[in-house]
Amino acid sequence: MGGPNIGEESGQCASCGGPAETRCTGCRNVFYCGRECQKKGWPSHRDVCRPFTIAKNQKCGRHLVASRDLAVDDIITEESPLVLGPKQETEPLCLGCYKRITGNYRCSRCSWPMCSPECENHPDHKPECDVTKATGLTICVDDMDSPHHLYEVITVLRCLVLSGKEPKRWKSSTERMNNPYMRGAGTPQYRHNQEHVVQVLREKFKIHEYPGVDASESDIHTVLGLLQFNNVPTKTAYAEVQALYPMASLASHSCVPNTKPVFKDGKLILRASDPIPRGEPITAIYADILWGTRARRDYLRQTRLFSCTCKRCRDPTELNTYFSALACRRCSSPVLPMDPLDDHTAWACGKCSHEMSVEEVLRTTLALGASVEIALANPTIETLEALQIDWHSRAHPNHYHLHAVKHSLLQLYGRSKEKADEKEKDAAHWVEIAKKEKACKEFLTVCSRLDPTTAHTIPFVGLTFYEYHKTILQNSQRLFSQAKISTQQLKKRMLLSKALLKKAMEIFKHEAEDTPEGQLYLTCQEEIIHIGKWMLAVGLI
């Protein structure tokens, strides 16, 4: 740490050497006698207290680097968003709480659809409310089930208003952020932004005439760039939105991130999900963790203008999940890219060396994706199993498109007679329960390799643990009623069922009560109580 080591034991203040009463509010490792002494001791302690520094290189631009060895669960940053708002493409939602809306209520001042009078007074909504009211514009949004172009301007507008009202805060927070957006001038995204954001803000909302706001075309494009390259996908109680954070926005991307985000009380708490040695980049993920490598890399090239070369992208097997693998026509073994970082590389079977061209791979993957999209629009056990059989000889069973099919199936299996009397549960039901258990295990195995913390797969993994507990519970009770397992074996399985429910609850613990995940959390609580009562009734407790 440098300097005297006073304050590293709870008895001494690190500044004056007197009796210590409080820990450093940053690292929690050093002690002070009070706030005044912490202020005095802070300058010499700052560099080792803050868990990160800001580095810069040609590949990543400015990014966060660990300033000391970080352990799992260490807090890296805890901060409120500089700006928060809807993603650029989104269905209509409330601009206060971000809940999906019906269109039955509109802000009494500006006519934007909202969910309630309470939300029209939410501070998040004030910028677009004031600007819309000033222009006298009436907002017309009728289709509440499809993305609407007017929502593309909201977060940009909020940035522009903040930069005008609090220029020092805006500048100090954004001047360190990366913005290579102008390199994309002339691209389809740039042209889209010019038509649907820049022109709409200037011609409909007259943003450049709003007092105190600088909103030339260049200013608006600059803000669009800041959002495109620095926004952090942020989970509110009801939707995923985008936000800029003074520090967290500088975490660089990796498809195997070493941090996990927790959104609580309007703040982002970024914790280490793995040990991070001093000098290592602090990383987050800005693509869908449940996409295959080519899909993730294409998305990142389009949205953030860089090609990911992380550990997962370099690995043809994607951490031994075979998440993008196809099946060899000759021997059915996995077919993988010879160089996953080369978009034009051939794909080859590791067993018989049969090759597939990249064009054939893309055609096959797109065809599989289209088939899955159609099947999941109206999923049934019959159609989804037929799709699995149809693609068995062409794609690995863990392929990311089939992974989505498996998640739907594990919810459907056993549902029709789940609450029926034991006598009504025929052989076909128990076959489905066996399939359900197998699907749950396979789904969780793949997710545990891609996202060990479950921070990026909360709704999928949490629900799967809940569904998995059903198979253990039903099978255990059935076998016990048939005298095929002992009382001790039954108790062991019932405790496993409760453990799976507790795992689901741990995953859902931060979810709002009136969301599907929050409701499932409450259901898990009820199920644990129900299992406890049943165990008591049969003498297991």
Side-chain angles (χ1 to χ4, degrees), residues 94-96 101 103-122 125-126 128-130 132-133 137-139 151:
C94 176
L95 296 174
I101 50 178
N104 293 333
Y105 184 84
R106 292 178 179 269
C107 177
S108 60
R109 293 188 293 272
C110 68
S111 74
W112 276 98
M114 304 290 284
C115 73
S116 66
E118 290 75 24
C119 275
E120 77 170 51
N121 294 314
H122 196 287
H125 174 53
K126 183 172 172 54
E128 66 271 9
C129 186
D130 289 347
T132 307
K133 182 181 177 182
L137 185 66
T138 298
I139 302 299
Y151 286 85

Side-chain angles (χ1 to χ4, degrees), residues 424-443:
E424 297 176 21
K425 294 178 179 177
D426 55 12
H429 172 79
W430 294 110
V431 169
E432 284 190 19
I433 292 299
K435 290 179 178 179
K436 185 186 192 81
E437 182 172 357
K438 181 174 182 289
C440 287
K441 288 179 179 178
E442 291 174 349
F443 188 88

Side-chain angles (χ1 to χ4, degrees), residues 123 129 158 194 228 286 373 431 481 512 527 534:
C129 186
R158 291 178 179 182
Q194 177 67 27
Q228 180 172 337
Y286 301 119
E373 184 176 2
V431 169
S481 68
E527 284 289 310
W534 190 88

Side-chain angles (χ1 to χ4, degrees), residues 210-245:
Y210 190 74
V213 174
D214 293 327
S216 66
E217 290 195 3
S218 176
D219 292 328
I220 298 173
H221 276 299
T222 297
V223 169
L224 280 161
L226 282 169
L227 286 168
Q228 180 172 337
F229 296 107
N230 301 281
N231 89 80
V232 175
T234 297
K235 193 174 185 302
T236 67
Y238 304 106
E240 184 180 284
V241 296
Q242 61 177 335
L244 293 177
Y245 293 89

Side-chain angles (χ1 to χ4, degrees), residues 461-481:
V461 173
L463 178 59
T464 304
F465 274 113
Y466 174 75
E467 295 290 343
Y468 189 10
H469 110 273
K470 292 181 184 179
T471 70
I472 304 298
L473 184 65
Q474 290 189 51
N475 270 324
S476 301
Q477 293 174 335
R478 175 194 181 207
L479 293 172
F480 184 68
S481 68

